[in-house]
């Protein structure tokens, strides 16, 4: 009993980390879409997509019903694929992200280096957390 | 003057964040002291917001993008409020960690705002 309670606590920390990232990505994407979307549509659309996924993951992880758990799984897996794909693409094909001779970054560029690699660490922790809580049920 | 205020703010927010994480490690539940720590950070942000509005109204502009600067300050103002609400609703030691993470988040955002304003 005590153990499941403490693991719930760690889960709260994960949700808090997701909330911070959701807020950061939303703030960034909101600014990019409002102020300069036409300068670099692809990277800014990607930032907005990541913001939506973080919001969805934050909500889904904070609910414990089986439906929301599925949503949480989906959101976290999409997020992990996104950060791995975009992270790799930003390294191999920087020209995809170059507009008017300037490299435009997204939340997921270089595996989230601008956010201390939190974007690549969180989905892994999220998957571990989802697996662990399922085992506890 | 403004730059000095910025520096103090960044380090104060980082210090408060770290102290609150230590409070979490010590298994302390959120208290008037820990929520007060975030209140100090919030007060600093509000002073910063008023300062910035006065500066921009007086014709100053950020070296980077002024709009981005204000986007940061508005989002930063949401963080302590969210963390404090969380701590008030859930009075466990995990909320103390959440408060600490909130403080560190504001510190990082302030450092980025400093970069945008001063170039």
């Amino acid at each position: 009993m005590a153990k499941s309670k403490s693991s719930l606590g760690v889960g709260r920390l994960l949700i808090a980390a997701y909330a911070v990232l959701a807020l950061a990505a939303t703030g960034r994407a909101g600014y990019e879409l409002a102020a300069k979307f036409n300068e670099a549509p692809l990277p800014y659309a990607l930032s907005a997509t990541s913001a939506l996924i973080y919001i969805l993951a934050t909500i889904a992880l904070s609910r414990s019903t089986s439906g929301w758990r599925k949503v949480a799984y989906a959101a976290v897996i999409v997020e992990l694929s996104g950060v791995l794909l975009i992270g790799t693409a930003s390294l191999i094909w920087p020209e995809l992200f170059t507009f008017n001779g300037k490299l435009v970054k997204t939340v997921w560029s270089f595996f989230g280096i601008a956010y201390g690699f939190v974007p690549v660490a969180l989905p892994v922790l999220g998957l571990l957390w989802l697996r662990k809580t399922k085992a506890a049920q | 003057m403004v730059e000095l205020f910025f520096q103090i703010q960044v380090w104060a927010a980082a210090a408060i964040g770290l102290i609150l994480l230590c409070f979490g490690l010590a298994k302390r539940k959120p208290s008037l002291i820990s929520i007060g720590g975030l209140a100090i950070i919030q007060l600093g942000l509000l002073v910063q917001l008023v300062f910035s509005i006065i500066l921009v109204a007086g014709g100053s502009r950020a070296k980077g993008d002024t709009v981005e600067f204000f986007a940061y300050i508005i989002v930063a103002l949401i963080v302590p409020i969210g963390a404090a609400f969380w701590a008030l609703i859930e009075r466990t030691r995990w909320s103390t960690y959440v408060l600490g993470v909130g403080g560190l988040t504001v510190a990082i955002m302030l450092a980025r705002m400093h970069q945008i304003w001063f170039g």
Side-chain angles (χ1 to χ4, degrees), chain A residues 14-23 51-63 75, chain B residues 86:
Chain A
L14 187 70
I15 296 163
Y18 263 102
V20 167
L21 204 56
L23 195 63
L52 290 175
I53 293 169
Y54 288 129
I55 293 170
L56 186 65
T58 308
I59 296 168
L61 282 169
S62 61
R63 310 285 158 103
Chain B
W86 189 316

Side-chain angles (χ1 to χ4, degrees), chain A residues 5-10 12-13 15-17 19-20 23-24 26-28 31 35-36 115, chain B residues 65 67-69 71-72 75-76 78-79 86 90 92-95 97-98 101-102 105 109:
Chain A
K5 206 177 171 191
S6 98
S7 61
L8 183 76
V10 177
R12 290 298 154 102
L13 224 51
I15 296 163
V20 167
L23 195 63
T26 307
R28 173 192 183 130
Y31 158 68
K36 49 183 190 178
Y115 297 84
Chain B
D65 190 333
V67 178
E68 190 181 10
F69 180 85
Y72 262 93
V75 174
I78 299 170
V79 174
W86 189 316
E90 191 183 310
T92 69
R93 66 190 163 108
W94 299 103
S95 298
Y97 283 111
V98 171
V101 170
T105 305
M109 295 185 76

Side-chain angles (χ1 to χ4, degrees), chain B residues 41-59:
Chain B
I41 295 175
Q42 185 76 347
L43 200 67
L45 282 172
L46 284 171
V47 172
Q48 187 68 253
L49 177 68
V50 173
F51 254 158
S52 318
I53 291 173
I54 292 171
L55 280 175
V56 170

Side-chain angles (χ1 to χ4, degrees), chain B residues 74-89:
Chain B
I74 289 163
V75 174
L77 280 162
I78 299 170
V79 174
I81 296 172
F85 261 107
W86 189 316
L88 289 173
I89 292 166

Side-chain angles (χ1 to χ4, degrees), chain A residues 112-128:
Chain A
I113 194 168
Y115 297 84
F117 295 110
V118 169
V120 75
L122 266 190
V124 176
L125 293 174
L127 281 177
L128 288 173

